[in-house]
Amino acid sequence: MHEVFEAAGALRETYQRVDWASTPLGPVESWTPTLRAAVDLTLKTRFPVTLFWGPELVLVYNEAYVDLIGEKHPAALGTPASVVFSEIWDSIGPMLTGVLSGGRATWSEDLELFMDRHGFAEQCFFTFSYSAVRNSQEQVEGVMNIVAETTGQVVSRRRLALLAHLTDALKDLDDPQRILRRATTVLRANAQDLLDADVLLPGVAFRESTTAMPAVPPSVFRDRDLVVEHMGERTMVWLRLTTASPLWQNPVLVAGLNHHLPVDDGYTRFVRLVGVAITQAFDRAQARQTERRIAELERQMSESLQRSLLTPPARPEHLEVAVRYQPAAAQMQVGGDWYDAFLLPDNSLALVIGDVTGHDTRAAAGMAQIRNLLRGVATAVRKPPSFVLAGLDGAIRTLAVNALATAVLAHIEQTAQQAAERRWTLWWSNAGHLPPVLITPDGAATLLWTPTDIMLGVDPDAARGDHAATLAPGSTVVLYTDGLVDRRGVLIDDGLTDLIHALTDRQNLSAEQLCDHLLARYADSSEDDIALVVLRIPSDIAAAVDSPVAHA
C-alpha cells in the first residue's frame, strides 16, 4: 500500500483497489508533491473534505465525505467531477472551473442541490467553500472542498416554521369548518413537505384540491394511524386524527410527500406533528364550546335569579318610577347589580341602587341576601337612610354574609307643608357608590356629590351620613351602577362628565323614556351590568290631598 494512503482509515482498501494509473491522475508514484501533501491533509482531517484535482477535477476524498455522496461511493474515487456530479454540474461546475483557473475562493451557505445519491434526485443543502491548492510556483493544481451538509437543519427549520405558523393560525379559531379551511390554506401555502394537503371528514365534502387525490387510502388503516403508499409517481400519506370532539370523529390528514426527500422517521414525525396541531385546534374548539355552554347556562341561571329578585318597583301616586337591569352583552357571568323601589310603613318611597363586588353566582347570591336584608332593616328601623345602612352593615356581619357592596339608599318624603307647595325631599346616604344625578326643571343636570361613606361589608361601626335635596315638580333623580359610565381606558371622571351631558336638557322625558335613552347610549359599549332607578316628579302635578308622614 502506498504510504500516502496510510491515513485513509476505512477507505484504505478502497484506495488500494483503484487503478490510479488508468485515471487522469496517473500512477501514485507520479503524483506531485503538492498532490501528495493535499491528499495527506485531506485524509487526516475528520471533517468532510474532497479534492478536485487536475484539469479533469478528479475526486480524492476522505472517509467523512462518503456519507455526503451516498451511493456515488466508491465509484466516485478517482473519477472526474463532471461525471460524478453530472446532475448538479450546472450549479457547481462554473464555481470549480473558476477557482481552478485562478479565481477567488467561493463560499456557499445552505446551497440547494438536487443530488442523485440514493437512486433519486434528492433535495440536499450544503455549506462549503472551494479553495485553490497551489504548488511552490503559485500554480493552481487542484481545488479543495471543505463541506458540511445542512439538509437536516434547513428542512427542520422550515418544518418548525410551518408548525409554528399553523399553530398560530389555528389558536383562536372555534369553528371546525374554519379550522379546516385555515389549516389547508396554511399547508398549501408552504407546500414543500406536504403537497396539496387536505383534511377530510367522514360525510363532509370539503376539498379544494386542484389535483385528484383519493379520499380514503386504498389500504386499510387496520391498527395503524399513519399510512404511506406509493401510487405511481406520487407518494401519499394518510394520518388519522384522534380528536375529543364528538362532532368531528375520524378526520384524516391526506397529502402528497415531497419525492425529492426520503420518507424517513423524521418525515413521518413531522406529519404527526402537523396532525397534532390540527387535532389540538379541534379539541380547543370543543373545549371552548363546552365552556361557553356551561358559562351561558350559569349566566342564564344567575340572570334568572337576579331578575326574579328585581321585582317591579313601587309607583306611588303623583310620582314616576322606572327601573332597568341590563346584563353586559359580552360578559358570560352576571354581576351583583341591583335596584329596588318599595314603600315604607309611613308611605314614603325607598329607592335603592347597589352593586355587589364580583361577577359570578356568588355575587348574585350575595346581592339577593343584601337586598332582602336591606328591605327588612328599612321596614323595621323606620329611620333615615344612614341608620338603615348602618343596621344593614351590622346584619351583614352578624349573619356572616360573605359579600362587599356599594349602595345608595334614598327616601322620598313629603311634609304637609311640602304637599301644599308640591315639593318633596330627597334624603339619601351613600355607601361607596357613584353619586346620584339631579335634573332640575330647567334641564340642568348635576352630580349630587357628597362625602362618600365606606362600602357595605367592611366595618359595621363606620359612621354614615345623610344628605338632602328639595325636589320641585319637573325634577328627575337618576340612580345607576358603574356599568353605565365605566369604560376600559376611560377615566371615570370622563364617564361621569359624559353622563351629565347625556342628561342635560332631558327634563321633559318621562322616567321610562329616560331609562331607554340611557341604555340606548351606553348599553352596547358597556363591559359590565347596568342597573338604573329613575324617579321623576311630573311638572303638571296637583297638590296632594293625603300627605305622607314627615321625615323624623
Side-chain angles (χ1 to χ4, degrees), residues 47-52 65 68 92 95-96 99 103-111 126-133 142-149:
F47 204 84
V49 177
T50 186
L51 298 175
F52 299 99
Y65 189 76
L68 276 63
I92 69 172
M95 290 189 286
L96 280 169
V99 174
R104 297 178 59 184
T106 67
W107 171 257
S108 298
E109 186 170 358
D110 295 336
L111 180 66
F126 299 96
T127 294
F128 60 93
S129 175
Y130 291 151
S131 304
V133 181
V143 177
M144 177 175 286
N145 178 24
I146 302 175
V147 59
E149 182 171 1

Side-chain angles (χ1 to χ4, degrees), residues 196-509:
D196 204 29
D198 211 341
V199 180
L200 307 179
L201 295 171
V204 178
F206 176 77
R207 298 186 66 252
E208 298 176 354
S209 172
T210 57
T211 304
M213 296 175 65
V216 293
S219 64
V220 180
F221 272 114
R222 295 195 181 97
D223 58 346
R224 297 176 295 172
D225 63 342
L226 186 143
V227 175
V228 176
E229 292 198 357
H230 301 285
M231 307 176 65
E233 295 183 356
R234 304 193 69 188
T235 300
M236 303 296 301
V237 63
W238 289 268
L239 175 66
R240 184 165 49 202
L241 308 180
T242 303
T243 74
S245 173
L247 300 176
W248 303 101
Q249 296 181 351
N250 301 320
V252 175
L253 171 65
V254 56
L257 299 181
N258 187 340
H259 65 277
H260 293 296
L261 289 173
V263 184
D264 53 14
D265 289 343
Y267 210 148
T268 56
R269 280 197 301 270
F270 164 68
V271 174
R272 291 185 184 278
L273 288 173
V274 171
V276 168
I278 298 173
T279 298
Q280 288 178 343
F282 278 118
D283 292 344
R284 281 195 302 269
Q286 175 65 22
R288 287 169 182 161
Q289 290 176 1
T290 302
E291 290 171 0
R292 280 197 297 270
R293 285 194 292 268
I294 294 173
E296 181 59 26
L297 178 60
E298 181 180 324
R299 175 182 175 80
Q300 291 174 359
M301 294 173 60
S302 298
E303 187 176 333
S304 297
L305 170 64
Q306 198 157 13
R307 290 191 183 280
S308 69
L309 294 170
L310 300 178
T311 54
R315 291 186 171 92
E317 189 178 2
H318 310 306
L319 298 176
E320 295 180 15
V321 179
V323 295
R324 294 289 189 277
Y325 170 70
Q326 178 68 47
Q331 188 139 312
M332 295 311 296
Q333 293 181 325
V334 297
D337 295 31
W338 89 94
Y339 62 75
D340 208 351
F342 56 94
L343 291 176
L344 296 170
D346 62 0
N347 286 328
S348 61
L349 177 65
L351 302 178
V352 183
I353 197 74
D355 187 0
V356 174
T357 58
H359 291 90
D360 50 29
T361 53
R362 287 192 296 259
M367 177 275 291
Q369 291 177 288
I370 292 176
R371 174 186 181 275
N372 291 334
L373 282 174
L374 192 154
R375 279 193 162 208
V377 173
T379 302
V381 170
R382 302 187 184 184
K383 288 189 176 183
S386 64
F387 285 81
V388 175
L389 291 182
L392 172 62
D393 228 353
I396 290 173
R397 172 66 64 85
T398 300
L399 299 176
V401 177
N402 186 22
L404 300 174
T406 65
V408 171
L409 170 63
H411 291 175
I412 313 302
E413 301 178 349
Q414 188 183 57
T415 65
Q417 179 64 34
Q418 286 179 317
E421 298 172 351
R422 299 183 300 173
R423 294 181 181 275
W424 278 258
T425 299
L426 171 72
W427 292 91
W428 78 94
S429 184
N430 190 330
H433 202 79
L434 292 170
V437 177
L438 173 63
I439 307 174
T440 55
D442 62 358
T446 306
L447 289 167
L448 297 179
W449 284 111
T450 58
T452 302
D453 301 330
I454 195 170
M455 68 190 307
L456 299 169
V458 176
D459 181 5
D461 299 321
R464 300 193 179 277
D466 289 300
H467 315 282
T470 300
L471 305 179
S475 299
T476 302
V477 177
V478 180
L479 307 179
Y480 54 94
T481 54
D482 59 355
L484 194 70
V485 295
D486 193 10
R487 297 292 181 275
R488 189 188 304 271
V490 178
L491 295 176
I492 190 68
D493 287 347
D494 294 337
L496 291 171
T497 299
D498 188 76
L499 176 62
I500 293 302
H501 176 73
L503 293 175
T504 299
D505 295 328
R506 303 294 177 177
Q507 71 276 17
N508 294 323
L509 294 181

Side-chain angles (χ1 to χ4, degrees), residues 82-158:
S82 61
V83 176
V84 176
F85 299 115
S86 58
E87 73 279 16
I88 60 172
W89 190 246
D90 288 345
S91 297
I92 69 172
M95 290 189 286
L96 280 169
T97 56
V99 174
L100 187 65
S101 62
R104 297 178 59 184
T106 67
W107 171 257
S108 298
E109 186 170 358
D110 295 336
L111 180 66
E112 182 183 39
L113 296 171
F114 289 89
M115 185 185 300
D116 184 1
R117 59 181 182 176
H118 294 113
F120 65 97
E122 182 179 353
Q123 184 183 42
C124 308
F125 296 87
F126 299 96
T127 294
F128 60 93
S129 175
Y130 291 151
S131 304
V133 181
R134 300 175 184 272
N135 58 26
S136 58
Q137 285 78 39
E138 290 298 313
Q139 296 171 330
V140 178
E141 291 192 15
V143 177
M144 177 175 286
N145 178 24
I146 302 175
V147 59
E149 182 171 1
T150 57
T151 304
Q153 297 93 310
V154 173
V155 172
S156 294
R157 282 199 302 268
R158 79 182 183 206

